[in-house]
Amino acid sequence: EDQVLVIPPHEPHAYGADLDDPWTIWWFHVRGTDLNELLAHAGVGTRRPVVTVANPQRLTSLIDEVAYRLERDDSESALIAAAGAAWHALALIAVDQTTAPTRPDPAAQAIEYLQARIGAKVTVKEVSDAVGLSPSRFTAVFRRATGYAMVEYHTRLRLARGAHLLAVTDLPISVIAHRVGYPDAFYFSRRFHAIYGQAPSEYRQAVR
C-alpha cells in the first residue's frame, strides 16, 4: 500500500496477483531522453525499485488521465497531454523521494480519488478510509472544502466528464453514459438535464 515499483528500461521482470486476494495494478511504460536522469534524481532503479509515495490517489488520477487521453484519439494534442500527465506522475515520485513527507489535504486527496473512479460507484466509507478519516469527520471536511456532499460532487464530476465527451467526440450517448458510470442512458440523460438544463443531444449540438 502507498508504494510504487519503478522498473528501469530493459530490466527483465515478472509480476502477478494472489488468485484468492487479487489487487489492482496501475501502470504505464515511458521512454524519452530525460528518463534516466529523472530516475537517477529520484534515487530509484534496479537497486531500489520500490518507493513510497505521499499521495497515491494523485498518481492514479494522473495515470487515469494518461489512459483517457490515449483512448480518446492519437492526435498530437492527445499525445502531448498524455505525455504531460505521465511526466507529472514521474516528477511527483521523484519529489516524494527528495522532500520530507507531508500529510496531503484530505479533501484534495478525496477529489483525486473520485476523479480516478469516474465510472465507478464510490461510497463515503470507501473514500473516508482512503484518506484516513472517520466517515462523519470526512463528510464535514469534504462539504466545507467543496460546498457539496461527496456523492453529489462525484455525480457532478461524472457528468462533467460526460459533457466533455459529448463536446469532443462522436461517441453515442449510450457509450458515453456507460463510460461515466451510468449503464442506463435514459437515467444519464435525466441527470445530465438536471445539471446542464439540456438533454445530452441538445448540449452536443449547442457546444458545436
Side-chain angles (χ1 to χ4, degrees):
E1 187 176 4
D2 297 345
Q3 290 183 326
V4 172
L5 177 64
V6 182
I7 304 173
H10 314 300
E11 183 72 21
H13 61 279
Y15 58 83
D18 188 285
L19 294 178
D20 297 321
D21 185 22
W23 36 256
T24 297
I25 183 169
W26 293 75
W27 62 272
F28 56 52
H29 292 169
V30 294
R31 63 181 180 181
T33 56
D34 296 326
L35 180 60
N36 288 333
E37 182 179 353
L38 180 60
L39 294 180
H41 179 72
V44 299
T46 305
R47 294 184 179 180
R48 182 173 171 258
V50 179
V51 297
T52 300
V53 293
N55 193 341
Q57 281 74 37
R58 191 172 188 185
L59 280 182
T60 55
S61 179
L62 287 167
I63 297 171
D64 185 61
E65 179 70 12
V66 172
Y68 166 69
R69 294 292 181 177
L70 294 179
E71 287 175 351
R72 176 180 165 186
D73 58 55
D74 60 355
S75 65
E76 183 178 6
S77 61
L79 294 176
I80 290 173
W87 181 261
H88 189 181
L90 289 174
L92 286 178
I93 295 172
V95 168
D96 280 349
Q97 309 319 304
T98 57
T99 59
T102 58
R103 179 174 176 81
D105 174 67
Q109 193 176 8
I111 289 170
E112 288 166 357
Y113 188 95
L114 294 173
Q115 288 172 334
R117 292 157 179 81
I118 287 290
K121 290 184 178 179
V122 181
T123 66
V124 171
K125 179 68 165 57
E126 176 186 344
V127 182
S128 63
D129 286 346
V131 302
L133 297 176
S134 68
S136 58
R137 174 63 176 161
F138 166 71
T139 297
V141 168
F142 192 87
R143 183 178 287 278
R144 185 167 62 247
T146 66
Y148 294 101
M150 190 212 78
V151 173
E152 174 66 14
Y153 189 92
H154 194 216
T155 295
R156 289 175 176 269
L157 279 180
R158 294 160 74 185
L159 294 175
R161 175 64 65 85
H164 176 73
L165 292 174
L166 288 167
V168 302
T169 76
D170 293 316
L171 291 171
I173 292 173
S174 59
V175 173
I176 292 174
H178 191 268
R179 283 198 179 185
V180 298
Y182 290 94
D184 185 341
F186 292 105
Y187 183 62
F188 166 74
S189 296
R190 289 199 299 271
R191 297 309 305 267
F192 190 92
H193 190 281
I195 298 296
Y196 288 90
Q198 294 176 303
S201 57
E202 295 172 335
Y203 178 88
R204 169 174 272 170
Q205 184 176 7
V207 297
R208 294 189 175 186

